[in-house]
Structures are given as C-alpha cells and as structure tokens.
Amino acid sequence: MSSKHLYLVDGSGYIFRAYHRLPPLTNRHGIPAGAVYGFTTMLWKLINELHQTDGPTHLAVILDASSKTFRNEMYDQYKAHRPPPPEDLVPQFPLIRDAVRAFSVPCIEELGLEADDIIACYAEAALAQDWQVTIVSSDKDLMQLIRPGLDLLDTMNNRRLGREHVLEKFGVEPEALGDVLALMGDSVDNVPGVPGIGPKTASQLIQQFGNLDAVLAGTDQITKPKLKQSLIDHADNARLSRELVRLKCDAPLPEPLDALELKGLPPEPLRAFLEDQGFKSLLAKVQGDGPATLPSGGPTMLALAPGAEEKPAPVIAQVPFNHKDYETVVDEAALDRWIAEGFACGRIAVDTETDNVDPVRANLVGVSLSTAPGKACYIPLAHIGDGLLSETPKQIAMDAALARLKPLLEAAHVLKIGQNIKYDMVVLSKYGIDVAPYDDTMLLSYDLDAGLGGHGMDELAQRHLDHACIEFKTVCGTGKSQISFDKVTLDRATEYAAEDADVTLRLWQLLKGRLAPEAATRVYELIDRPLVPVLAGMERAGIKVDREELARLSAEFSGEATRLEAAIHAEAGTPFTVGSPKQLGDILFDKMGLKGGRKGKTGVYSTDVTELERLASDGVAIARLVLDWRQLTKLRSTYTDALQQQINPATGRVHTCFSMAVAQTGRLSSTDPNLQNIPIRSDHGRRIRDAFVAEPGKVILSADYSQIELRLAAHMADVPALKDAFARGEDIHALTAQEVFGEVNRDTRARAKTINFSILYGISAWGLAGRLEVSREEAQGMIDRYFSRFPGINHYIAATLGQVRDQGYVSTLFGRKTHLPWIRSAKQGERQSAERQAINAPIQGTSADIIKRAMVRMNPALAAAGLGDVRMLLQVHDELVFELAPEQVEPASTVIRAVMAGAAEPIVQLSVPLGVEIGTGPSWGAAH
DNA sequence: TGGTTCACG
DNA sequence: GACGTACGTGAACCAG
C-alpha cells in the first residue's frame, strides 16, 4: 500500500453550508463575504485538523464550473427547478477561488462536469495507484464511491463515512447505492425516480432483487398493486435516473495527480488574503496568536467563529473531601481567625443555614465559610438541640457573631462566593447585612452551560468534582418527620454546612476562569450577576393581596362549581369524579359513545381543552359544562385558595421566589407562589388580579413591552417590511394578514397572529395546519407566502440551524448561550424538537436579556430622579409591576419608559423601536 | 411518582 | 414514506 493519501474537498457543499450558516456579512471592501469567511474558516480548520492527525499528502478543492453539464443533454429537466444561487452569493464565488489559492491548494473545475464527477475521476485515478482517498463531503451521491481505500469525511460531525454508514442508511452496499438513488429520485436535482417510492421502499426493493434491472424485470413478483403499477409505468424514468446519478469517472484529469501534492502552508499568501478581506480573528488564529477573543468591533463574525470552545477542561489536582477536618466555630477567638483568613485571601465562600426554605420567613441558624478546598468551618448561631433530650449547645451569641461577620461580608475588597447567593442576601438583609461584592456559582454555571444540565449544587458537585454531597434529607429527614436545621446536632450540621461552602469554593475555582474564553463574561457581569440584589429586593418587598376578596372569590367559584358538577352528573347519567381525566374519558367516549381517539402511551382518552371545545361546538352539552367546571376549580385551587395560604403573616404580603437558573433560555421563573401565571385571559380570572392591590395611599403601575419578541425577530432576521411597520407603529398582525391573505378582517388577522407566533416557535406546516384547522397544503402555502413576503426569516432560520448543528448551541444578541445537545440525537423527533428550540431560544432569550437589563438599571434611574421609594415588585417576562404614590405616577412613568425602551443599548443597537405600554390603578387588574 | 391539564408570557 | 402535531414556565389533581 502506498503511503499517499489524497483528500478531495467538495467545494460546492462547503460554500452553500458556509452561506447558510452565517449572517449576511461584508468584508473590508463592503462586498458580501459571509460565505467567503465561512468557507475560509472551514478550510483552515480542516487543513489544521488534518495536519494534526495522519494527514493528507495530496489535497484539492473541487468546484462546479457551470450549471450546464452532460446530464442536461440526457435530460433537459435535470436540476431545472433549482433556483439560481442567491444574489449576494454570486459575487462571492471568485473570492472563494482566491481563498483556495491563498492556501496554496489547487482549485479544480471543468466545464461540462459537475464537481462530483471530477471527484470521481480523481478518486479512480488515485485508487488505481494504490493511494488512500478521502472525500470531504456528506453528499449521498458521492457515497456511491465508497470502497476499500476510500471514505467520506463529514466535517459537520467530524465523522468518517464508510461502507457501514451506507449499509445503515440505505440498507445496501455502496455499489448498489446508485440503484437505490435511481428508484427514489431526488426532488432537489429533479431526478425523477419512480413516483411513490422513497428511500425506504427503494432500499427494500434493491435488497430483495439485487439491482435495478432485476426490480424492473420482476414486477410480477410485487404484491402491492400501486407500487407494481408505478414501477411498470415509470420504468424508463428509473433507467434515466440511474444514468443521471451515475458518476462519470473516466474523463481526463484537468491537472495531473502529482500537481495536487500538499507542500505545507506558506503563510504569506494566506496572510495577505485574510488581511485584504479584514478577517482579523482568523488572521490571529493563523498567526498563532491563540484562540479568538471577545468580539471587538467589526462584523459579528468573530462571535461565530469556531475554535474557542475546543479547549480541554483544566485539570485541578483534587483535594479529597474529609468531613472530619471541618471546624465547628463556637468561640469568638476562632471566629476572628476565620474572618482574618477571609480578609487575607480576598475571597471567601459563604453559605447560610436557616429554618425555612422561604428566605423571607427564614431565621438564620448558622453560617459556613471556606477559604480553600478542604478547608471550611460552620458557625452555629441558633441551634436548639432536638428539643427533647439534648440541651441547647454552646454557640457564639447571634448579635456578637453578626457584628464580627458584617465587616467581612460587606468589605469591598473581599469577594463573597455563594451558590444561589440571592437566598443568603435575602436572609442576611433582615439582619442588616448587605453582602457585596459577590459571585454566584449557580449563575456562573447557568451562563456557561445552560441546556447541559441543572445548576443546583449537588448536581454541579457531581458533574465537576465527581463528588456526592451529603443530602439535605439525610440530615433533616423528609415528610412528616422532617426537622428544621436548628434541631440538627452540631457535628452533623458542620459536616453538611461546611461541605456546602467547600464545594462552592471549588466550583468557583473551576467555573470562573471559563467565563472569558467561552465569551460568557458579558452576560454574567452585565446581566445576571447585577440582577441578584434587584431580585432579592423584590422578593423581600412582596405584593399585597386582599385576603377577603380572595375568600369571596373562593366561595363564589366553589358554589358555581358545585352546581356545574350536579349538571354534569345529570348529563352523564351517573356520578363520577369530574376531575379524573380517566373517568371523564370513559364517560364521554365509552358510555356516551362520542367520537374521539385514544392518545398517549397510557391509553387514556384525551379530554383536554381542544378536545372538549371540539365537542362543545358540536353541541355536546356536557363538554361545555366540564370546561366551565375545570376553569372554576382550577382558579379556586391554584389561585384563590392557595394564595390565601401564601400570605406572609408578618408582612401581610405574598413573597414569590424568582429562580434565575431554571429556564433554558435566560428567562426567570417564579415559584411559591408562581406570580408569573396569575390569570388575566378570562373574565373569572381577571378578578383574581384585582385582588393584587397597592397598600393604602399607593397605586399599582404596570409597564409592559409591546410585542417585544416579534420586534426582536424583525431585527434579528433583518426583515425590512416588519421593521418599517414597527417603526411606523402599525398593526403588525394586520400587515401580516394583508401580505399573506391579501385582505384584513377579523378572521385573517387572527390567523395572521397565529402565523406570527408559529414562526417564533419554529413550527412545521403540520403544526400550523392543526392550529388553524386547515389542510397541511394550505398551511404550507401560508408559510411559503410568509417567507416570500418577509425575506430574511428564511435565512435566519437556516443560519440558526446551521449554527446549532455546527457548534451545539445558539446565542442571544447579548451572547447568552443555550446548548442544545439533542440536535445530534439519532431520533428524528428529538432532533426536530431541538431545532424548534434553536429557532425560539435566541428570540425569547434576547427578550429576557433586555428586560433584565432594564431591571438592573431601574432602581438607580428612579433614585436619580428623586423617586427612590418607588418599589419594583414583580417581573412577568415582558412586564414590570411597581408600587408607588399616586403623585409619583407621572414622573416615574417617564423614567420607567425610558429605561425599558433603551435597555438594549449600548451593547446592542436595535433597528426597531421597543414600545412600552403603561397603566395604573388601585390593583394589578386595574393597571392593565 | 408520572401523567394530564391548564394558568401565564 | 413515516414521523409528529409550537417555544418557555409552575402547580394542582388523580391514580398507581
């Protein structure tokens, strides 16, 4: 075997992938160059990576010279439906040839031949001389060439494709692949194939008969009548298709094989080319200046350039966990030693232990500290023993300990490191301590690894330190026998609490250094970290609810529900548990014999709102009754009853907890209670909002962004018609209705609204068809019209999908990443789900970034306007809720509107205005 | 505990 | 040609 190894790069595939992967960028001369940049990067990456393995000795890039080839003489419809290359791609072709030459690599094309044919010819010639051949492509036509000594390299997943791949994908040996391709045809290249035959059937037929001729000769053995007839009717098409997919491998070589020899990579021509185009980040990489750094001016391409994410995780020699080494601090001298140590280190991990998961209700029970891996202590402050046999253990007096800890926790030159430090801030603020400066390992993890797993401490310790933390429940128990932390013995408490601080410090050491190389500094420092004390303040503030009003609503909803239940039982002819989907399904579809299908793996009938609405519109009385019953019981159990329980007796208000590291996209979430899903859409529901009131002498002000996600989509996808409409303040759904349906009325506007949301969610024609209750074809037609009327959306989707497949994550305009590992799932459903998430996450996430920035700036802006006592209470994704004096409404509205509308700047300049709508009233409901 | 349903953006 | 039937959340309830 010769030691020579030829690499043939399918240049056309590279170009189109580069084009669709990158946004429309221009080079230093103002010429479109996104594809040039992408192509150059990919080629550099390829050569660089191959060089580090047992690399190629010969390499060439193969391009298509023209659109007309010998195949058009065989079949004039060949590739006839293929649209011409995009307008902004055409001027990039010559630049791409320049790029290849800059690498000192031959760039080969030949009139009348497609790149695939030239590749086949070179492959044939090289194999004849016993060379190894690798074709850099994932094109299925080229897979026909696979044989011993020849494989394909799919750079998208860095996979080698050989015989096994063809067998797995098409069920046949590579030699028989041409026959399969001929039967199935190719709608993109307009290879006719045989109608009704796709990859599955084609593969099955070839496996059964051996080859195409045998299939066509053996139709009498085929049992399915439709398939048999189609094969007989279109036998000629099948034979023609066989010739169209056959690669021509006997043409003379444009350059001799030896001319493809790789002579290293002379730096000068490449440097000159990159400099001329203004590809600075790539230039830096080529010159060995290390990985791409943060974006600095110029086009956005730096942020998209691959490379930085491929660093190996740093290996830190791990100090073992030994719980017996932790110190229980019970005298002031020992405490002073630890505090001095904290000042000396300049950073210290801190964790508080309390008697309640709700920080607003919690009392401080102890504090743990850590200054180095393995070195941690616990300072018990309010332990009371088990309350039965043991006595209250000896501890430092709370006041004395806090007086000593306060200077450390507030010292400007000592960094306090916490895991979910918002909790500790809320607790400590009740004791007059304002923790600052601070870092939060939960947020570090969230801003680096969103989408790769949870961000709780136990999970992070397992993932990064390979350490299983002592579980809270093994210390305090669970369920009825659970005890509060102040009843835990000091030695158990120390093991648990000090470990938390120890783990937090270790995690901080691992995660903090990743921020800059992984381009997460901006999101962490400018958005999430500064938001922590803002949210802590909102949680402490809480919002007043009118308990009596809630109780009245509960009683009213109860009464109505009881009446409805009786009516439902009467309709059903038997009493049953209306709240049981299983029993309801059996009553509706078995006993009453209504039409409806089984759903789900559990085999229960679906009785959800769409199903019941369908029945109700068919005049089924019980369906409407059940819907009304469900609404009332839902509102009562989830809201009017539960909220009364949630009122904090000490403050008379409800204090939600905002979670910063739960949502995959950067949004907040709200729990205990969830105040982000308080009803508003129904009349019954809206009355619940009226129970959220201002304290006497104050009013509620609600400010919400109007259609922020659609505006961001218009900006991010660069859609002129949508941007203009937003700039002029037009009704965007009406505009969409006009463009898609040609007229605006109630119905078309409602449908247009659905379509607009569908686009944000990355819907399929099937999904839209279901929502609008039209056929799949009609839905596809609407989507097509939408894409043609609003060009840019298409490109955004293609570029986003290319990006996520390439790098495994998508980013917001501010650089927040959402990792989507399922994008590489072998299961189609999981993959498609990840694709929809990829389309939505940058939009939803950018919106989340913007309102978070508004929140970070809000209190200082209000204070600067002399409105320091205006209180921000809630955030509901695109809405902020405030409590203020009536005379403050006017000046505060000005400040709030300005802060919210300008929240993206100066980091991001939007090409659409952000609209802010403000309302006020005695209650949250009235403020809308 | 998992499945179902439904409240919100 | 089969597949699936919109993105992101949290809470309550039923049934096993």
Side-chain angles (χ1 to χ4, degrees), chain A residues 667-683:
Chain A
R667 272 193 179 181
L668 301 179
S669 80
S670 161
T671 58
D672 305 307
N674 180 356
L675 295 186
Q676 291 183 322
N677 72 346
I678 300 301
I680 189 163
R681 292 175 188 169
S682 69
D683 287 334

Side-chain angles (χ1 to χ4, degrees), chain A residues 704-708 711 878 897 900-901 912-917:
Chain A
D704 66 280
Y705 283 114
S706 122
Q707 294 174 329
I708 186 170
R711 288 172 195 254
D878 65 357
R897 190 185 300 280
M900 288 176 74
V912 287
L914 291 181
V916 179
E917 289 171 0

Side-chain angles (χ1 to χ4, degrees), chain A residues 56-277:
Chain A
T57 56
H58 293 66
L59 187 145
V61 174
I62 318 293
L63 295 173
D64 290 303
S66 58
S67 54
K68 291 279 179 234
T69 69
F70 70 94
R71 290 189 180 82
N72 296 99
E73 288 165 28
M74 269 197 270
Y75 180 52
D76 62 359
Q77 290 298 299
Y78 180 68
K79 293 198 175 177
H81 296 335
R82 180 173 279 200
E87 221 171 83
D88 56 334
L89 179 56
V90 174
Q92 302 191 51
F93 287 120
L95 289 173
I96 285 167
R97 293 190 183 95
D98 290 347
V100 178
R101 285 187 214 106
F103 282 91
S104 309
V105 164
C107 182
I108 297 171
E109 51 197 308
E110 185 80 359
L111 279 176
L113 290 181
E114 291 185 49
D116 288 358
D117 299 310
I118 305 174
I119 289 171
C121 293
Y122 274 101
E124 199 68 39
L127 286 167
Q129 299 195 24
D130 259 356
W131 293 15
Q132 284 263 101
V133 179
T134 297
I135 298 166
V136 182
S137 173
S138 48
D139 188 302
K140 64 182 183 332
D141 294 318
L142 286 168
M143 289 179 194
Q144 294 179 75
L145 295 170
I146 289 172
R147 67 191 83 172
L150 186 148
D151 61 2
L152 265 60
L153 174 62
D154 177 3
T155 51
M156 198 90 98
N157 326 306
N158 205 13
R159 266 191 320 173
R160 297 265 167 184
L161 308 179
R163 173 175 164 271
E164 295 71 25
H165 178 79
V166 178
L167 272 170
E168 190 185 314
K169 193 164 172 199
F170 296 98
V172 298
E173 296 284 343
E175 301 89 77
L177 178 56
D179 292 347
V180 174
L181 297 177
L183 275 175
M184 59 190 255
D186 185 331
S187 57
V188 179
D189 288 350
N190 213 26
V191 172
V194 175
I197 295 188
K200 291 273 145 60
T201 312
S203 160
Q204 214 174 356
L205 287 170
I206 299 301
Q207 283 177 65
Q208 187 183 342
F209 289 90
N211 60 54
L212 178 64
D213 288 333
V215 173
L216 297 177
T219 47
D220 50 340
Q221 294 171 44
I222 291 169
T223 46
K224 291 180 186 164
K226 269 190 167 171
L227 175 61
K228 178 178 179 175
Q229 197 56 44
S230 194
L231 278 165
I232 294 170
D233 293 347
H234 301 94
D236 283 346
N237 270 348
R239 293 194 188 91
L240 170 66
S241 300
R242 183 65 189 88
E243 292 315 308
L244 288 173
V245 302
R246 191 186 301 283
L247 296 174
K248 187 172 174 63
C249 58
D250 53 0
L253 302 183
E255 304 273 346
L257 265 182
D258 288 338
L260 277 44
E261 187 176 354
L262 206 51
K263 305 182 187 83
L265 184 51
E268 190 46 34
L270 184 55
R271 196 195 57 75
F273 175 79
L274 295 176
E275 208 153 70
D276 178 57
Q277 294 295 310

Side-chain angles (χ1 to χ4, degrees), chain A residues 533-555:
Chain A
V534 180
L535 290 176
M538 292 165 66
E539 290 179 7
R540 268 197 85 190
I543 185 166
K544 185 174 165 64
V545 298
D546 183 340
R547 186 197 296 270
E548 285 67 37
E549 176 63 15
L550 287 177
R552 275 193 296 276
L553 288 173
S554 274

